[in-house]
């Protein structure tokens, strides 16, 4: 970047500009009006070239900062200066007397209050630090409440004992709003993971299935059903986990005003105890008996284990939010809902009914917070009474 700066804006360029300005100053009174205008336009053209080079460097430097870095600097320093410059030029006033320098603009903006984005980031950092600190407190108190064995335990042993129904877990008295403080940060992270699953993990899973299934519709149906089953299984696992936590709390804690807060607090801090592999096995068993994709057996659904495990973990953690997130129910042949779904690129955009779903919509209570995807076509349900069975492929089982 430094080499580009040196190459694009050199001392020679600036020296030539100054020499032309000095020469024009000496000849100004003897020149005709047209000659002076030509000299002025030559200088403007040369200055414009230098400005173009500097804006190119500005763009490259901003790109090095990623999506967020540098945004506030451009908003607080460059944009006000440009606005004032254009305003002064349009009014025919002197730019030097009207427009503050970039440094003056920066000094003025620096003394203002932090931007909303900076305040949000500071709040999130504070919430995350508070969450980490209180998670450590819960784990320490849980360890002290177990049997007082002097020998150190391994991580796997610690997990197995914490999941035992007979173990009484002494949970600290939680602060009233601890879960709420971290709810926004956890929700944002989970929404990002769910979006990445749609944009990347889903496509990777499609590539695996397309090796042995030629029809794109069948591949998309399999992935959609895997996603729906993963949410269903993960929600059931969360219910069982929460029931176990209620039973595992010390008897003295049951019945207190903070009991539900303590349960949720413990669940949030111990999401890593979730047995996601067991859920993956349950999802694959459900897919193997699903009539839309299981007859004849075309592929070992274990190919999708990584994809299913990621969806299960996302769905499980979404149940710990307040309120929890869930996917919308979707059925083939339902009326297309533009608020819940977007149409796939190969859809008939005039068809009123959904042929099949590609990705579920994400809901918070009755509100759609992330649209799903569906395929719509006219006359599809008149030409067939059920989804076609995939053609057998000779892919070896893993």
């Amino acid at each position: 970047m430094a080499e580009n700066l040196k190459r694009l804006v050199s001392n020679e360029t600036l020296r030539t500009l100054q020499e032309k300005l000095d020469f024009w100053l000496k000849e100004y009174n003897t020149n005709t009006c047209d000659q002076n205008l030509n000299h002025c336009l030559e200088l403007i053209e040369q200055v414009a070239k230098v400005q173009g080079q500097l804006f190119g460097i500005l763009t490259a430097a901003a790109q090095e900062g990623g999506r967020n870095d540098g945004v506030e600097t451009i908003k607080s320093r460059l944009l006000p200066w440009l606005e004032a410059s254009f305003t002064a030029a349009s009014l025919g006033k002197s730019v030097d007397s009207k427009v503050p320098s970039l440094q003056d603009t920066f000094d003025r903006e620096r003394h203002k209050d932090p931007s909303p984005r900076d305040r949000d980031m500071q709040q999130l950092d504070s919430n995350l630090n508070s969450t980490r600190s209180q998670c450590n407190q819960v784990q320490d108190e849980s360890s002290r409440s177990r049997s007082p064995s002097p020998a150190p335990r391994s991580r796997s042993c610690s997990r197995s004992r914490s999941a035992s129904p007979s173990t009484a877990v002494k949970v600290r008295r939680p602060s009233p709003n601890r879960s709420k403080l971290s709810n926004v940060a956890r929700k944002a992270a989970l929404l990002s993971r769910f979006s990445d699953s749609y944009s990347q993990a889903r496509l990777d899973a499609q590539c695996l299935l397309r090796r042995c299934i030629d029809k794109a519709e069948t591949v998309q149906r399999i992935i959609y059903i895997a996603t729906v089953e993963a949410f269903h299984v993960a929600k059931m696992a969360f219910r069982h986990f929460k029931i176990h936590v209620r039973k595992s709390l010390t008897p003295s804690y049951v019945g207190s005003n903070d009991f539900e807060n303590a349960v949720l607090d413990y669940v949030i801090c111990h999401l890593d105890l979730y047995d996601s592999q067991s859920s993956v096995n349950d999802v694959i068993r459900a897919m193997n008996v699903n009539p839309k994709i299981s007859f004849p057996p075309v592929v070992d659904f274990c190919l999708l284990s990584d994809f299913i495990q990621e969806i299960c973990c996302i769905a499980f953690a979404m149940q710990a939010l307040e309120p929890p997130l869930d996917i919308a129910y979707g059925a083939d042949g339902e009326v297309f809902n533009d608020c819940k779904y977007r149409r796939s690129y190969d859809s008939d955009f005039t068809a009123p009914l959904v042929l099949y779903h590609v990705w579920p919509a994400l809901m918070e209570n009755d509100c759609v917070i992330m649209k799903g995807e569906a395929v719509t076509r006219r006359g599809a349900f008149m030409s067939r009474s059920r989804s076609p069975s995939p053609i057998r492929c000779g892919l070896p089982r893993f």
Side-chain angles (χ1 to χ4, degrees), residues 30-42:
T30 59
N31 288 340
T32 64
C33 178
D34 289 338
Q35 289 174 332
N36 285 331
L37 290 177
N38 286 328
H39 281 301
C40 183
L41 290 174
E42 288 178 3

Side-chain angles (χ1 to χ4, degrees), residues 88-366:
S90 64
L91 296 176
K93 297 182 179 180
S94 171
V95 175
D96 291 337
S97 62
K98 176 71 177 178
V99 181
S101 66
L102 287 176
Q103 185 61 43
D104 293 338
T105 305
F106 173 72
D107 292 338
R108 184 173 63 255
E109 294 292 332
R110 185 174 56 184
H111 296 294
K112 290 184 178 181
D113 294 335
S115 65
R117 177 177 174 273
D118 291 338
R119 288 195 296 269
D120 291 342
M121 293 299 295
Q122 292 172 0
Q123 182 65 30
L124 288 177
D125 288 340
S126 176
N127 294 344
L128 290 174
N129 290 333
S130 174
T131 302
R132 293 192 189 99
S133 175
Q134 297 186 24
C135 284
N136 292 334
Q137 292 178 14
V138 172
Q139 291 173 348
D140 291 342
E141 294 181 11
S142 298
S143 299
R144 288 196 297 269
S145 67
R146 300 188 184 106
S147 59
S149 173
R153 300 190 186 98
S154 64
R155 182 175 178 84
S156 60
C157 177
S158 174
R159 287 195 177 189
S160 63
R161 292 185 63 85
S162 64
S164 173
S166 61
T167 303
V169 180
K170 179 178 175 59
V171 183
R172 62 173 177 80
R173 299 282 176 176
S175 58
N177 297 321
R178 198 211 66 78
S179 297
K180 294 181 181 179
L181 289 176
S182 63
N183 193 68
V184 174
R186 291 185 293 112
K187 179 180 177 180
L190 290 171
L191 290 178
S192 177
R193 287 177 64 184
F194 189 73
S195 177
D196 291 342
S197 296
Y198 168 76
S199 60
Q200 186 58 49
R202 177 181 66 93
L203 299 181
D204 293 341
Q206 284 187 4
C207 291
L208 289 175
L209 293 176
R210 288 303 293 267
R211 297 176 185 175
C212 56
I213 301 176
D214 294 332
K215 196 167 185 179
E217 175 182 337
T218 304
V219 170
Q220 291 175 336
R221 283 181 179 273
I222 290 174
I223 293 175
Y224 174 77
I225 290 173
T227 304
V228 172
E229 292 291 348
F231 262 83
H232 174 72
V233 171
K235 287 191 296 181
M236 293 297 295
F238 183 83
R239 293 192 190 102
H240 292 313
F241 182 66
K242 200 169 182 180
I243 291 172
H244 161 71
V245 172
R246 284 195 178 97
K247 293 179 179 179
S248 300
L249 289 174
T250 54
S252 61
Y253 210 92
V254 178
S256 65
N257 294 331
D258 292 331
F259 178 69
E260 288 301 324
N261 287 334
V263 171
L264 183 60
D265 219 39
Y266 184 87
V267 168
I268 291 173
C269 294
H270 294 81
L271 291 175
D272 59 332
L273 298 179
Y274 171 46
D275 186 3
S276 59
Q277 185 56 51
S278 177
S279 292
V280 171
N281 297 336
D282 292 341
V283 171
I284 292 176
R285 279 194 292 270
M287 293 174 66
N288 284 331
V289 297
N290 190 302
K292 292 184 179 180
I293 59 176
S294 61
F295 299 108
V298 63
V299 64
D300 190 342
F301 292 134
C302 290
L303 278 175
L304 302 179
S305 292
D306 291 341
F307 171 78
I308 295 172
Q309 187 171 39
E310 174 64 7
I311 299 298
C312 285
C313 291
I314 293 173
F316 187 87
M318 283 181 173
Q319 306 314 301
L321 297 175
E322 185 61 38
L325 303 183
D326 197 2
I327 56 175
Y329 172 79
D332 295 350
E334 68 179 359
V335 177
F336 177 78
N337 188 338
D338 187 58
C339 296
K340 286 186 179 181
Y341 301 100
R342 64 176 62 88
R343 299 178 194 260
S344 294
Y345 70 94
D346 56 346
S347 293
D348 182 348
F349 283 76
T350 63
L353 302 181
V354 173
L355 176 63
Y356 65 92
H357 296 81
V358 176
W359 192 254
L362 193 63
M363 310 288 291
E364 184 179 66
N365 292 330
D366 295 329

